[in-house]
Amino acid sequence: MKIKEFSLERIQSLYENLVELNLSDSGVHPYNLSDLLNEEQQRALLDIELGYGWTNGSVELRQTIANLYPDKGPDNVIVTNGSAEANFLMVMSLLEKDDELIVVVPNYMQIAGWAEATGVKVIETSLDESKGWVPDISKLQSLVTDRTKMITLCHPNNPTGSTLPLSEMKKLVQFARDNDIYLHADEVYKGAEFDGVEIPSFVDLYEKAIITSGLSKAMAMPGLRIGWLIGLPEDIYASWQRKDYTSITTGAVSEYVASIVLQPDARTKILNRSKQYLIDNLKILSDWVSVNQSWVSFVPPKAGGMAFLKYALDINSTQLAHVFREQLNVLVLPGDVYGLDGYFRVGIGAPTAHLKEGLARISQYVSDNYDIKTSTPV
């Protein structure tokens, strides 16, 4: 099987642990276990038997996750090793060779890359930056053929942090329903909306919606590697059959912690911490963009742990990211990994001191090395 390199993950895995200031992450600065568990829970964790659990996730955890979605039960849920495995299983369960998949870009391109490798035809349609990074639903119908099986998007969006108004979500649902196709949404940033109003899930709106989510982004626990897939029971069962061929099960320790942090009060407390962290850092980034508006701009994100910055410098985004890494010891994510040169992604979930210092180094470098009036090197 031929598969294209997943350039986003490759850049991060190569460099994020080597730089002094990592601004490439899209999540919130993670918790320690001691921040999440009280003394009694910590003692109980030490007594966990490290055996195999339920291969689709414990009944307790699946019910806890199902409680986050109206009218869903354990059979609508499979627990996975991160949302990445959920995406993988979803492709393997619902898409076949020569099916067509509409991908709303920019997006986290794992699904597109894996689907293409398995013989699925991937068709991209772009978000409209001029309208706040929302899809032009009127263009979608022209992409549909009798082979179209699914449309997939990231909502809230990675890398732009945009969200759809409920009216636009309903239009997208109606498009999927009219064409009898699956609507997949990666919802790992759901719960980190800056206005404090959590958007509904697509599975709340559409019978053939299937969503991936997890604890890595809005919940700030990537090290637990807990994700999930929510959908129709028959589709979830099909993904369970595929999981028997992959990781088999998640970790007993991770499932124990997940069952605690996904209880309503704990989840609310964790998400409030994430939102405050992100809102404070977004203010810092917005002020920095204002000062540097001669060469950088952005549509402010509405949710999630990142912002997508447009720059007016005469250099490719991957080259620029490597310059920042090599000369400033700062890692950002180039727009190239989303197929959009002329942008770079900055994580606003980074520690505040890191964000301030990284941005200061970047602006000083640009001031020292570019004629901003012409956007060319000096």
Side-chain angles (χ1 to χ4, degrees):
M1 175 186 290
K2 293 183 179 179
I3 188 166
K4 67 175 64 173
E5 184 171 270
F6 193 178
S7 54
L8 183 156
E9 291 296 346
R10 181 57 56 241
I11 287 176
Q12 289 192 287
S13 63
L14 282 173
Y15 304 119
E16 65 182 348
N17 294 310
L18 298 177
V19 294
E20 179 185 356
L21 301 172
N22 177 25
L23 303 186
S24 73
D25 280 347
S26 60
V28 182
H29 190 60
Y31 278 94
N32 298 319
L33 277 176
S34 59
D35 298 324
L36 296 169
L37 306 180
N38 60 35
E39 290 185 3
E40 180 181 354
Q41 291 165 338
Q42 291 178 39
R43 287 194 296 270
L45 183 146
L46 295 177
D47 290 331
I48 290 174
E49 184 177 90
L50 299 179
Y52 288 104
W54 290 77
T55 57
N56 59 341
S58 71
V59 176
E60 176 191 4
L61 179 54
R62 285 187 287 122
Q63 182 63 62
T64 298
I65 293 169
N67 290 342
L68 303 175
Y69 306 89
D71 304 318
K72 296 296 183 289
D75 290 342
N76 295 104
V77 182
I78 184 170
V79 181
T80 61
N81 286 277
S83 58
E85 187 184 30
N87 288 337
F88 181 94
L89 295 174
M90 186 271 297
V91 170
M92 297 302 294
S93 303
L94 300 183
L95 298 176
E96 297 180 1
K97 186 177 183 294
D98 297 327
D99 282 345
E100 294 180 358
L101 170 69
I102 299 174
V103 180
V104 180
V105 294
N107 202 321
Y108 183 69
M109 296 302 284
Q110 178 203 9
I111 288 173
W114 181 240
E116 193 171 55
T118 60
V120 174
K121 182 179 180 181
V122 173
I123 301 167
E124 295 184 359
T125 184
S126 299
L127 297 172
D128 189 339
E129 182 181 15
S130 68
K131 296 180 180 179
W133 294 113
V134 298
D136 186 344
I137 295 176
S138 65
K139 293 181 180 179
L140 290 175
Q141 193 61 49
S142 65
L143 303 177
V144 176
T145 75
D146 59 359
R147 300 295 303 175
T148 304
K149 189 73 170 291
M150 178 184 292
I151 181 170
T152 179
L153 73 160
C154 189
H155 188 244
N157 181 253
N158 176 2
T160 69
S162 65
T163 60
L164 297 179
L166 181 58
S167 60
E168 293 299 308
M169 292 180 69
K170 289 181 177 179
K171 288 179 183 179
L172 195 57
V173 164
Q174 193 59 52
F175 162 78
R177 183 178 286 122
D178 288 345
N179 290 281
D180 192 27
I181 61 176
Y182 285 99
L183 194 165
H184 169 261
D186 180 338
E187 295 183 350
V188 293
Y189 298 100
K190 184 176 178 295
E193 298 85 355
F194 302 151
D195 65 1
V197 179
E198 187 168 348
I199 56 180
S201 170
F202 276 103
V203 295
D204 302 338
L205 305 175
Y206 179 41
E207 57 279 4
K208 285 189 70 172
I210 187 163
I211 68 101
T212 51
S213 192
L215 299 181
S216 294
K217 301 302 182 181
M219 294 289 285
M221 303 171 205
L224 288 179
R225 307 310 304 139
I226 289 289
W228 55 85
L229 194 64
I230 307 284
L232 293 170
E234 58 267 33
D235 295 331
I236 296 303
Y237 187 83
S239 71
W240 186 11
Q241 291 177 310
R242 274 73 175 172
K243 193 170 187 292
D244 291 338
Y245 283 91
T246 58
S247 65
I248 301 178
T249 184
T250 52
V253 171
S254 292
E255 287 206 8
Y256 169 77
V257 178
S259 294
I260 292 171
V261 300
L262 286 171
Q263 296 302 320
D265 288 346
R267 181 176 182 269
T268 297
K269 181 179 179 181
I270 289 162
L271 290 176
N272 285 342
R273 178 254 195 186
S274 293
K275 284 180 281 193
Q276 192 58 57
Y277 203 108
L278 295 170
I279 290 168
D280 291 346
N281 279 352
L282 178 58
K283 176 63 166 59
I284 292 168
L285 179 63
S286 297
D287 290 346
W288 180 85
V289 169
S290 180
V291 170
N292 293 276
Q293 61 184 303
S294 58
W295 67 275
V296 68
S297 62
F298 77 141
V299 177
K302 295 181 179 179
M306 74 249 114
F308 205 44
L309 306 185
K310 187 174 185 178
Y311 65 87
L313 304 175
D314 187 19
I315 184 174
N316 166 263
S317 64
T318 296
Q319 292 175 322
L320 184 64
H322 284 307
V323 167
F324 290 167
R325 176 181 61 81
E326 293 167 357
Q327 299 191 32
L328 309 180
N329 222 348
V330 176
L331 184 64
V332 299
L333 203 60
D336 277 349
V337 302
Y338 298 100
L340 289 172
D341 193 17
Y343 296 83
F344 61 90
R345 192 186 80 181
V346 170
I348 57 173
T352 300
H354 285 200
L355 179 65
K356 288 181 176 179
E357 177 61 23
L359 293 174
R361 293 183 191 183
I362 289 172
S363 56
Q364 187 63 55
Y365 174 84
V366 172
S367 176
D368 291 344
N369 292 276
Y370 283 86
D371 181 342
I372 299 303
K373 293 181 180 179
T374 64
S375 301
T376 56
V378 296

